[in-house]
Amino acid sequence: MENQRMVENHLAHTIGQTENEARYDKATKKLPANKLVLAHIMKGCVEEYRSCPVHEIAEKYIEGEPEIGTVGVHADDTNRVHHSTADSTISGSNSEDATLTEGTIYYDVRFNAIAPKSDAEPEELIRLIINVEAQNKFKPGYPLTKRAIYYCSRMISAQHGSVFTKSEYGKIKKVYSIWVCTNPPEEFQNSVTQYSIKAEPIVGNAAEKVENYDLMSVVMVCLGKPGTENYTGILKFLEVLLSSSRAAEEKKKILTEDFGVPMTTTLEREVLEMCNLSQGVKEEGIEIGIRKGIKQGVEEGKFLALAELVKDGTLSVEVAAAKAKMTVDEFKKAMKGTF
């Protein structure tokens, strides 16, 4: 009965921790939906906005004219979802992309944007579709760059029926998939890498217009630790924003003073929620670790006591092995490693 209670308690805590981790992950993914946060990401990661002030990107280019919304939520049956921009947040930013055979994919943040134009560019507005993903696991069992390229392909193919029909391929919008990796391996830390389509002449020097093939870009933003090389700009901004160890007040101070991000009611609430959930996940992890350590210590103590009884001849090795729930060979092998 006692063992059953221990198993039930462990299961309950595990379920609780899993739920906390899921809520923390969700909170992490909500923060990039703030328009000023998106503006910083766009300025640091999207070539079209590098020379624009952050406030201008937020006010003028995110979900701007001619229309506000995202392109269809289904690859097989495209439809359009419109979002409100109350309190500078992209509402409903978890756009869903699904097919009958491939299951469901949820985009963390996906939105339309207008690219700035120079005087030399044509009057027609340049429109982009941008996807931002917050990713905790850098190696989830497959290369993230391949998944990001798949997301780009989805965002292009989903434009059929909403952005263009039949053979109107000239209307296809360029897409960006930006992945913010919070726990990359050391060799990837504090790096921003773009993967895109480039022209490479093989024979001759034919020159196609860049806008006719430069239609998708993946940007991998791999965060690092404070005080390390390249810890500045967008890398510092996102590390502070998404940090699981910084207190809410510290985050708000740095974001406001170093990056000019005012604490709106929504952003302040989301920062606080993420910090609270982060602390809860840590405490759950520590508690589970302590319980595991106690249990392991008890088991090791039981084995050592049985081994001592076998060593001094009080108990046969067969009986001791049975009490330790081990085979005789396993018990003997463990004894050799102990004495």
Side-chain angles (χ1 to χ4, degrees), residues 147-163:
R147 180 178 171 186
I149 291 169
Y150 174 74
Y151 276 33
C152 282
S153 302
R154 279 291 211 191
M155 287 189 287
I156 286 181
S157 64
Q159 293 178 48
H160 184 268
S162 58
V163 176

Side-chain angles (χ1 to χ4, degrees), residues 133-240:
E133 299 286 324
Q135 180 71 21
N136 292 324
K137 293 183 179 179
F138 188 80
K139 294 182 179 180
Y142 52 81
L144 275 181
T145 47
K146 288 191 174 184
R147 180 178 171 186
I149 291 169
Y150 174 74
Y151 276 33
C152 282
S153 302
R154 279 291 211 191
M155 287 189 287
I156 286 181
S157 64
Q159 293 178 48
H160 184 268
S162 58
V163 176
F164 73 97
T165 58
K166 297 182 179 179
S167 57
E168 299 173 320
Y169 298 107
K171 295 181 179 180
I172 294 176
K173 298 179 184 179
K174 181 178 180 179
V175 301
Y176 276 90
S177 188
I178 303 169
W179 291 67
V180 182
C181 305
T182 57
N183 294 300
E186 187 175 351
E187 64 270 24
F188 283 90
Q189 289 180 10
N190 284 333
S191 67
V192 180
T193 307
Q194 177 171 301
Y195 303 88
S196 55
I197 299 174
K198 302 290 184 183
E200 295 185 8
I202 297 175
V203 178
N205 296 304
E208 177 63 275
K209 291 182 178 180
V210 174
E211 61 264 28
N212 290 340
Y213 60 82
D214 182 23
L215 291 176
M216 65 166 69
S217 286
V218 167
V219 182
M220 305 299 290
V221 183
C222 298
L223 306 184
K225 299 174 183 177
T228 54
E229 188 178 4
N230 298 326
Y231 181 78
T232 186
I234 189 61
L235 291 165
K236 178 180 178 180
F237 175 80
L238 289 172
E239 188 280 324
V240 171

